[in-house]
Amino acid sequence: LGGDLLHLLAAGSWLGGLPLLVLLLVGAARRASQTLDRAALVATRRFSAIGVVCVGALLVTGVVNAWYLVATPPALLGTAYGQLLLLKLVLFAAMLALAARNRFVLTPRIEKAVRAATDSSRIAMRRLARNAWSELALGIGVVVIVGALGISVPGAHAEISWPLPFTFDPDALAFVPAHPTTYARSPVRYTIAAIAAGAALYRSNCESCHGVDGRGEGPAAPS
C-alpha cells in the first residue's frame, strides 16, 4: 500500500507539473523578456530536480509492485496484465528519453543563452515545450494503461499462456523449445491419487494418439 501511494504521488507530481511548465516556456518563447526568460529557466531547473526524485520513486515502487502483482518473468510475457505492464514500461522509457534530453541538452542551452542575453534561448524553450507536450501525451497513455491494469487480473494470479516458441531454462543455461502451456499451472495437486487417476484418463483418452510412452507412436497418431 505504501508503494502504491508513493507511486501515485510521484506520477502525479511529474505529470501534473508538465502543463504549467509548458505554459511558462511557451510564454517566454513568445516574448522578448529577460525577466520571463529567467523565470522559465528557474522553473525548468526546479522541475528537473523534482523529476529526478519522481523517476527514482517510480522505478523503486514500480519494482515493488511488479514483485507482488506479476511475481515471475513468464507472467510478465504470458499474461494480459504482464503485456500491458510491458507496454506501460515502453511508454515510460520514451518519457525518460525526452526528459533526459530536456535535462542534459536543452536546459543547458537555455541557461547559456539567458546568461548571454541572446534570442537563441527562445528556440531552445520552444523545443523544450514541444518535448514537454510529448512527455505529457505519453504520460496520458501511461495513465490509460494503468486504468486497464486496475481492472485486470494480476499476472501472479492469472493463467500463463506463453507467447514464444522458446524459453530460457536457467538449469541448462540455454534456450529450449516452449509451448503455450509450458508455464500452465495445474489445478490438481501432485499426489499419488492424482497420478493414478491421470493414468486411467491417459489410457482412455490419450494413449491412442500419444502412445504408451507419450512419444506420439499411438496407432491413431498418423491421422
Side-chain angles (χ1 to χ4, degrees):
L1 181 60
D4 279 338
L5 290 172
L6 188 57
H7 200 79
L8 177 63
L9 289 172
S13 299
W14 187 5
L15 292 179
L18 278 171
L20 298 177
L21 178 65
V22 169
L23 291 176
L24 182 57
L25 289 170
V26 170
R30 289 177 178 175
R31 302 176 188 175
S33 169
Q34 283 293 313
T35 301
L36 199 55
D37 288 350
R38 293 192 189 94
L41 177 59
V42 171
T44 302
R45 286 175 179 167
R46 290 179 178 175
F47 186 81
S48 294
I50 293 173
V52 170
V53 175
C54 290
V55 167
L58 288 170
L59 290 173
V60 172
T61 55
V63 170
V64 171
N65 290 344
W67 180 268
Y68 279 99
L69 298 176
V70 181
T72 64
L76 190 62
L77 286 176
T79 65
Y81 188 95
Q83 291 163 4
L84 281 172
L85 182 57
L86 286 175
L87 180 57
K88 175 190 172 184
L89 291 176
V90 169
L91 296 184
F92 179 70
M95 291 180 68
L96 280 183
L98 287 172
R101 176 171 172 75
N102 292 346
R103 173 67 180 83
F104 297 109
V105 178
L106 295 178
T107 299
R109 288 182 185 176
I110 294 174
E111 185 172 358
K112 183 178 180 181
V114 169
R115 287 179 177 177
T118 63
D119 290 336
S120 60
S121 63
R122 264 162 280 289
I123 298 174
M125 286 181 187
R126 280 194 291 269
R127 291 176 179 173
L128 185 58
R130 187 167 57 246
N131 282 1
W133 273 127
S134 300
E135 272 186 67
L136 183 59
L138 290 169
I140 292 172
V142 168
V143 171
V144 171
I145 293 173
V146 169
L149 288 172
I151 57 174
S152 301
V153 177
H157 307 293
E159 192 63 54
I160 296 173
S161 179
W162 188 247
L164 303 176
F166 60 88
T167 186
F168 182 76
D169 185 353
D171 295 328
L173 295 178
F175 287 96
V176 297
H179 308 277
T181 56
T182 292
Y183 293 101
R185 293 185 287 266
S186 175
V188 180
R189 292 184 61 195
Y190 192 69
T191 63
I192 293 175
I195 294 170
L201 289 171
Y202 184 86
R203 280 193 297 272
S204 60
N205 298 310
C206 312
E207 189 174 299
S208 60
C209 286
H210 293 280
V212 176
D213 298 326
R215 299 179 182 277
E217 74 278 15
S223 62

